[in-house]
PDB file of all heavy atoms in Angstrom:
ATOM      1  N   GLU Q 101      24.656  50.952 108.845  1.00 97.00           N
ATOM      2  CA  GLU Q 101      24.507  52.432 109.160  1.00 97.00           C
ATOM      3  C   GLU Q 101      25.242  52.861 110.409  1.00 97.00           C
ATOM      4  O   GLU Q 101      25.882  53.923 110.474  1.00 97.00           O
ATOM      5  CB  GLU Q 101      23.029  52.713 109.358  1.00 97.00           C
ATOM      6  CG  GLU Q 101      22.167  52.536 108.063  1.00 97.00           C
ATOM      7  CD  GLU Q 101      22.370  53.709 107.157  1.00 97.00           C
ATOM      8  OE1 GLU Q 101      22.557  54.824 107.555  1.00 97.00           O
ATOM      9  OE2 GLU Q 101      22.342  53.426 105.909  1.00 97.00           O
ATOM     10  N   GLN Q 102      25.130  52.030 111.509  1.00 97.00           N
ATOM     11  CA  GLN Q 102      25.551  52.512 112.795  1.00 97.00           C
ATOM     12  C   GLN Q 102      27.011  52.095 113.234  1.00 97.00           C
ATOM     13  O   GLN Q 102      27.830  52.982 113.471  1.00 97.00           O
ATOM     14  CB  GLN Q 102      24.601  52.067 113.905  1.00 97.00           C
ATOM     15  CG  GLN Q 102      23.111  52.463 113.663  1.00 97.00           C
ATOM     16  CD  GLN Q 102      22.928  53.988 113.629  1.00 97.00           C
ATOM     17  OE1 GLN Q 102      23.656  54.707 114.342  1.00 97.00           O
ATOM     18  NE2 GLN Q 102      21.970  54.475 112.943  1.00 97.00           N
ATOM     19  N   LEU Q 103      27.135  50.789 113.347  1.00 98.00           N
ATOM     20  CA  LEU Q 103      28.442  50.326 114.015  1.00 98.00           C
ATOM     21  C   LEU Q 103      29.700  50.749 113.298  1.00 98.00           C
ATOM     22  O   LEU Q 103      30.713  51.022 113.976  1.00 98.00           O
ATOM     23  CB  LEU Q 103      28.378  48.804 114.178  1.00 98.00           C
ATOM     24  CG  LEU Q 103      27.336  48.300 115.144  1.00 98.00           C
ATOM     25  CD1 LEU Q 103      27.274  46.718 115.184  1.00 98.00           C
ATOM     26  CD2 LEU Q 103      27.627  48.766 116.517  1.00 98.00           C
ATOM     27  N   PRO Q 104      29.714  50.846 111.943  1.00 98.00           N
ATOM     28  CA  PRO Q 104      30.961  51.313 111.332  1.00 98.00           C
ATOM     29  C   PRO Q 104      31.314  52.791 111.611  1.00 98.00           C
ATOM     30  O   PRO Q 104      32.418  53.177 111.428  1.00 98.00           O
ATOM     31  CB  PRO Q 104      30.663  51.127 109.801  1.00 98.00           C
ATOM     32  CG  PRO Q 104      29.647  50.131 109.746  1.00 98.00           C
ATOM     33  CD  PRO Q 104      28.720  50.392 110.974  1.00 98.00           C
ATOM     34  N   ASN Q 105      30.347  53.538 112.144  1.00 97.00           N
ATOM     35  CA  ASN Q 105      30.635  54.989 112.422  1.00 97.00           C
ATOM     36  C   ASN Q 105      31.230  55.192 113.823  1.00 97.00           C
ATOM     37  O   ASN Q 105      30.883  56.142 114.512  1.00 97.00           O
ATOM     38  CB  ASN Q 105      29.363  55.804 112.284  1.00 97.00           C
ATOM     39  CG  ASN Q 105      28.941  55.881 110.801  1.00 97.00           C
ATOM     40  OD1 ASN Q 105      29.843  56.000 109.964  1.00 97.00           O
ATOM     41  ND2 ASN Q 105      27.687  55.772 110.482  1.00 97.00           N
ATOM     42  N   HIS Q 106      32.063  54.332 114.251  1.00 98.00           N
ATOM     43  CA  HIS Q 106      32.765  54.371 115.485  1.00 98.00           C
ATOM     44  C   HIS Q 106      34.161  53.883 115.336  1.00 98.00           C
ATOM     45  O   HIS Q 106      34.500  53.350 114.255  1.00 98.00           O
ATOM     46  CB  HIS Q 106      32.057  53.450 116.571  1.00 98.00           C
ATOM     47  CG  HIS Q 106      30.708  53.861 116.922  1.00 98.00           C
ATOM     48  ND1 HIS Q 106      29.599  53.535 116.210  1.00 98.00           N
ATOM     49  CD2 HIS Q 106      30.218  54.561 117.990  1.00 98.00           C
ATOM     50  CE1 HIS Q 106      28.475  54.041 116.738  1.00 98.00           C
ATOM     51  NE2 HIS Q 106      28.841  54.661 117.852  1.00 98.00           N
ATOM     52  N   LEU Q 107      35.013  54.040 116.339  1.00 98.00           N
ATOM     53  CA  LEU Q 107      36.362  53.447 116.480  1.00 98.00           C
ATOM     54  C   LEU Q 107      37.067  53.424 115.129  1.00 98.00           C
ATOM     55  O   LEU Q 107      37.225  54.437 114.504  1.00 98.00           O
ATOM     56  CB  LEU Q 107      36.174  52.007 117.035  1.00 98.00           C
ATOM     57  CG  LEU Q 107      35.358  51.863 118.269  1.00 98.00           C
ATOM     58  CD1 LEU Q 107      35.292  50.363 118.768  1.00 98.00           C
ATOM     59  CD2 LEU Q 107      35.902  52.733 119.430  1.00 98.00           C
ATOM     60  N   CYS Q 108      37.510  52.231 114.677  1.00 97.00           N
ATOM     61  CA  CYS Q 108      38.333  52.168 113.424  1.00 97.00           C
ATOM     62  C   CYS Q 108      37.620  52.666 112.225  1.00 97.00           C
ATOM     63  O   CYS Q 108      38.258  53.217 111.310  1.00 97.00           O
ATOM     64  CB  CYS Q 108      38.737  50.704 113.143  1.00 97.00           C
ATOM     65  SG  CYS Q 108      39.826  50.073 114.386  1.00 97.00           S
ATOM     66  N   GLY Q 109      36.316  52.586 112.175  1.00 97.00           N
ATOM     67  CA  GLY Q 109      35.525  53.027 111.017  1.00 97.00           C
ATOM     68  C   GLY Q 109      35.692  54.494 110.725  1.00 97.00           C
ATOM     69  O   GLY Q 109      35.596  54.943 109.528  1.00 97.00           O
ATOM     70  N   LEU Q 110      36.005  55.296 111.766  1.00 96.00           N
ATOM     71  CA  LEU Q 110      36.118  56.776 111.564  1.00 96.00           C
ATOM     72  C   LEU Q 110      37.381  57.150 110.848  1.00 96.00           C
ATOM     73  O   LEU Q 110      37.439  58.081 110.021  1.00 96.00           O
ATOM     74  CB  LEU Q 110      36.029  57.485 112.908  1.00 96.00           C
ATOM     75  CG  LEU Q 110      34.689  57.348 113.631  1.00 96.00           C
ATOM     76  CD1 LEU Q 110      34.792  58.023 114.972  1.00 96.00           C
ATOM     77  CD2 LEU Q 110      33.541  57.907 112.771  1.00 96.00           C
ATOM     78  N   SER Q 111      38.496  56.379 111.101  1.00 93.00           N
ATOM     79  CA  SER Q 111      39.703  56.733 110.400  1.00 93.00           C
ATOM     80  C   SER Q 111      39.959  55.839 109.181  1.00 93.00           C
ATOM     81  O   SER Q 111      40.869  56.086 108.395  1.00 93.00           O
ATOM     82  CB  SER Q 111      40.878  56.658 111.296  1.00 93.00           C
ATOM     83  OG  SER Q 111      40.907  55.424 111.988  1.00 93.00           O
ATOM     84  N   ARG Q 112      39.179  54.743 109.076  1.00 95.00           N
ATOM     85  CA  ARG Q 112      39.382  53.854 107.921  1.00 95.00           C
ATOM     86  C   ARG Q 112      38.065  53.786 107.138  1.00 95.00           C
ATOM     87  O   ARG Q 112      37.379  52.801 107.142  1.00 95.00           O
ATOM     88  CB  ARG Q 112      39.769  52.447 108.448  1.00 95.00           C
ATOM     89  CG  ARG Q 112      41.006  52.439 109.244  1.00 95.00           C
ATOM     90  CD  ARG Q 112      41.513  50.972 109.522  1.00 95.00           C
ATOM     91  NE  ARG Q 112      41.988  50.391 108.326  1.00 95.00           N
ATOM     92  CZ  ARG Q 112      42.342  49.118 108.268  1.00 95.00           C
ATOM     93  NH1 ARG Q 112      42.099  48.260 109.271  1.00 95.00           N
ATOM     94  NH2 ARG Q 112      42.794  48.520 107.079  1.00 95.00           N
TER      95      ARG Q 112
END
Side-chain angles (χ1 to χ4, degrees):
E101 294 283 325
Q102 303 294 333
L103 293 173
N105 289 320
H106 294 82
L107 310 178
C108 293
L110 296 177
S111 53
R112 302 190 71 190

